[in-house]
Amino acid sequence: MAAKYLSIRDQILDLIAEMEVGEALPPERALAPQFGVARMTLRRAIEEVIREGRLKRKHGAGTFVAGPKIAQGLAVTSFSEDMRQRGVVPSSRTLDAGELAASPKLAKRLEITSGEPVLRVVRLRLADDAPMAVETLHVPGRVAPGLDGQALDHASFYELLAERHGIILAGGVQTIEVTVTDDREAEILEVPVHSPAFLFERVSRARDGQVVEFVRSVYRGDRYQFRVDLQPARAGSNLADDAP
Amino acid sequence: MAAKYLSIRDQILDLIAEMEVGEALPPERALAPQFGVARMTLRRAIEEVIREGRLKRKHGAGTFVAGPKIAQGLAVTSFSEDMRQRGVVPSSRTLDAGELAASPKLAKRLEITSGEPVLRVVRLRLADDAPMAVETLHVPGRVAPGLDGQALDHASFYELLAERHGIILAGGVQTIEVTVTDDREAEILEVPVHSPAFLFERVSRARDGQVVEFVRSVYRGDRYQFRVDLQPARAGSNLADDAP
DNA sequence: GGGCACTGTTGGTCTAGGCCAATTTCGGGA
DNA sequence: TCCCGAAATTGGCCTAGACCAACAGTGCCC
């Protein structure tokens, strides 16, 4: 059986989906028996929801439905999910796809030997049908044999990895820099040449430590921004005040 | 009495400070009585340390001292601390300081009425004595009466707030965008005009919800970047494998 | 009418113990 | 000697109950 607090967490998410922002959750002591768990377990579940930013606790007062999701900045792993959280509709168009032999530089990033085959897919990412980013995906050939650009048109790369190749991502590292668009990027993104843009580079790994992808994305600077909640030094979890 | 798990957390930090990377912590069932707490409380403390990235748990195997801190990007509240974490020496030079009457736009950000006095300080921030960012700080006059640009030369703004005005920050919101340098910024930062740059805008609040500062910072795009550890979907805390 | 102490409600922490699940260890068999 | 399976070890989850601390409303007192 999956962990009980995870199941309770989902039930809480269902519950608050029908509630107004600022409305109070029933007290923990009432909710726990209702879900059939101990209070500590309920609290554990609530903490998960708080971490997602959907609830807010106030000592002595109650637990309240938080305002609409505040972007949590940098944990971006999926364009689609990122866009949905921002309230726009994501879509994608493949511009180019094919195999190539890894250059020394690319080989180093992917931790393979130079010359090994690599699948390369260039995609235009759109938000509400307007260009948002150009994404260049590199996948070592042996990681996902048989995969091609076609498959990515209607399914998430990560889903394909999991379902067709049994690869589960374990984490990755992403760097975020600023850049300016070159001629090609400018044309694709429909912005002037040398417009400011975000440059993301991400390397993701599977559970066994093997590099699964190297992604380079250029985001339009005029349409994309981060919004981050800052917390003081250390301790606790949430901040900000507002009562119902 | 402060929370017991916080005290235990500090004791754990002391303990692992003398240990090698990869070395295993004593088992929870041994450590808990040693610290004189229940195992659950010890676990709570360990979770805090894990959140700071200093420990790593492996189900069935043990709890191990994690490798040196990996930059976590975003808990940035202070330029100085940010730079020190990046391994460079921060310094600061005040370029301009003075009082002005809040424009309607600024008043809205600071949540005061238009025309109220505001302290404005423009500072050049340096890393290893090379220009890194231009920071413009706005503080409502009534938040920190008597404060001026001079005071900021040799003390942290946040320390001054806490010590001289008893104001403790409770959190804030920061947006991160890309921009290009204008003539003035380019000159100060010693980069070409229209170089790409990060634009940070931060609004910080005290515990009572009052806005304490509005900061606008322009960071050199060629010297500053984020590096973020990504974690899969949801759940847990850590990733990566390596056994002792 | 205003302010303050009291009190009930609600979240925050802690305990002691039990059982489950992943991993490692170790002994016996081939 | 090598390998496999059982047993011990270790973290993960859950419980039921207790007490502490912050908050909000009430009503008394001035």
Side-chain angles (χ1 to χ4, degrees):
Chain A
M1 174 193 71
K4 198 177 286 188
Y5 75 93
L6 290 177
S7 143
I8 302 294
R9 175 203 60 190
D10 292 339
Q11 295 183 51
I12 292 174
L13 284 173
D14 290 346
L15 181 59
I16 66 181
E18 304 170 359
M19 295 174 62
E20 300 292 325
V21 169
E23 198 174 341
L25 212 64
E28 297 176 354
R29 283 171 242 271
L31 216 47
Q34 188 171 321
F35 282 136
V37 297
R39 190 179 151 218
M40 285 299 270
T41 303
L42 173 70
R43 281 180 60 76
R44 174 84 191 259
I46 289 177
E47 266 147 33
E48 289 291 315
V49 181
I50 286 175
R51 197 169 319 177
E52 294 179 28
R54 306 285 303 274
L55 280 177
K56 201 180 336 184
R57 278 209 266 233
K58 281 183 88 169
H59 189 175
T63 304
F64 306 91
V65 177
K69 190 162 307 183
I70 305 176
Q72 70 218 63
L74 306 210
V76 180
T77 9
S78 149
F79 177 83
S80 302
E81 193 179 326
D82 186 22
M83 288 303 120
R84 274 191 283 268
Q85 280 195 6
R86 290 162 187 265
V88 296
V89 178
S91 55
S92 180
R93 193 178 331 148
T94 299
L95 302 178
D96 188 23
E99 274 214 349
L100 51 85
S103 68
K105 201 169 168 181
L106 180 57
K108 189 176 175 189
R109 300 246 200 202
L110 293 174
E111 293 178 11
I112 59 181
T113 58
S114 180
E116 270 192 62
V118 172
L119 172 67
R120 174 173 167 279
V121 180
V122 181
R123 286 191 288 180
L124 172 61
R125 298 292 211 161
L126 306 104
D128 284 347
D129 292 323
M132 175 64 95
V134 181
E135 176 188 288
T136 307
L137 169 68
H138 299 87
V139 184
R142 59 180 161 76
V143 165
L147 186 69
D148 60 14
Q150 293 286 329
L152 291 177
D153 272 347
H154 295 293
S156 146
F157 173 54
Y158 299 125
E159 282 170 13
L160 287 177
L161 270 185
E163 289 166 15
R164 294 194 0 195
H165 301 93
I167 294 175
I168 297 173
L169 289 192
V173 175
Q174 177 158 301
T175 60
I176 302 172
E177 301 175 57
V178 295
T179 183
V180 291
T181 54
D182 62 21
D183 296 1
R184 180 176 138 276
E185 292 158 352
E187 186 186 342
I188 296 172
L189 292 175
E190 298 174 13
V191 295
V193 182
H194 302 317
S195 300
F198 282 105
L199 171 63
F200 297 175
E201 291 190 340
R202 177 168 76 238
V203 172
S204 306
R205 291 170 190 278
R207 291 183 68 105
D208 60 7
Q210 152 186 240
V211 173
V212 169
E213 62 164 5
F214 166 63
V215 187
R216 183 178 186 281
S217 306
V218 175
Y219 278 67
R220 282 177 60 159
D222 60 336
R223 296 191 69 203
Y224 195 82
Q225 72 167 28
F226 291 102
R227 190 186 155 86
V228 186
D229 276 354
L230 299 174
Q231 298 178 9
R234 58 169 42 142
S237 18
N238 47 345
L239 39 113
D241 287 24
D242 52 292
Chain B
M1 177 192 70
K4 200 177 283 188
Y5 75 92
L6 291 177
S7 144
I8 301 295
R9 174 202 61 188
D10 292 339
Q11 294 182 53
I12 293 174
L13 285 172
D14 290 346
L15 181 59
I16 66 182
E18 303 170 0
M19 296 173 63
E20 302 292 323
V21 169
E23 196 174 344
L25 213 63
E28 297 176 353
R29 287 167 173 80
L31 216 48
Q34 189 170 322
F35 283 137
V37 297
R39 191 178 151 219
M40 285 302 268
T41 304
L42 173 70
R43 281 180 60 77
R44 173 86 191 258
I46 289 177
E47 266 147 32
E48 289 289 315
V49 182
I50 286 175
R51 196 168 320 178
E52 294 180 28
R54 306 286 303 275
L55 280 178
K56 200 180 335 183
R57 277 207 267 232
K58 281 183 88 168
H59 188 174
T63 304
F64 306 91
V65 178
K69 187 165 305 186
I70 307 174
Q72 73 215 66
L74 283 232
V76 181
T77 5
S78 145
F79 175 83
S80 303
E81 194 179 326
D82 185 20
M83 288 303 121
R84 274 190 284 266
Q85 279 196 7
R86 290 163 187 265
V88 296
V89 178
S91 55
S92 180
R93 193 177 330 147
T94 300
L95 302 178
D96 188 23
E99 274 214 345
L100 51 84
S103 69
K105 201 169 170 182
L106 180 57
K108 190 177 175 188
R109 300 247 200 201
L110 293 174
E111 295 178 10
I112 59 179
T113 57
S114 178
E116 270 193 62
V118 172
L119 173 67
R120 173 174 169 277
V121 180
V122 180
R123 286 190 289 179
L124 172 62
R125 297 293 212 161
L126 305 105
D128 284 346
D129 292 324
M132 176 62 95
V134 181
E135 176 187 290
T136 307
L137 169 69
H138 300 87
V139 184
R142 57 181 162 76
V143 165
L147 186 70
D148 59 15
Q150 292 287 329
L152 292 176
D153 273 346
H154 296 294
S156 145
F157 173 54
Y158 300 125
E159 283 170 13
L160 286 178
L161 271 185
E163 289 167 14
R164 295 195 357 196
H165 302 94
I167 294 174
I168 298 172
L169 289 191
V173 175
Q174 177 161 303
T175 60
I176 303 173
E177 301 174 55
V178 294
T179 184
V180 291
T181 53
D182 63 21
D183 295 2
R184 181 177 138 275
E185 291 158 352
E187 187 186 341
I188 296 172
L189 292 174
E190 297 174 13
V191 295
V193 182
H194 303 316
S195 299
F198 282 106
L199 172 62
F200 297 175
E201 291 190 337
R202 177 167 79 238
V203 172
S204 305
R205 292 170 190 276
R207 291 182 68 103
D208 59 7
Q210 154 187 240
V211 173
V212 169
E213 61 165 6
F214 166 63
V215 188
R216 182 178 187 280
S217 306
V218 175
Y219 277 67
R220 281 176 60 158
D222 60 337
R223 298 192 68 203
Y224 195 84
Q225 72 168 26
F226 291 101
R227 188 188 158 85
V228 187
D229 278 355
L230 299 175
Q231 298 177 9
R234 54 174 43 145
S237 13
N238 45 344
L239 36 116
D241 287 23
D242 52 293

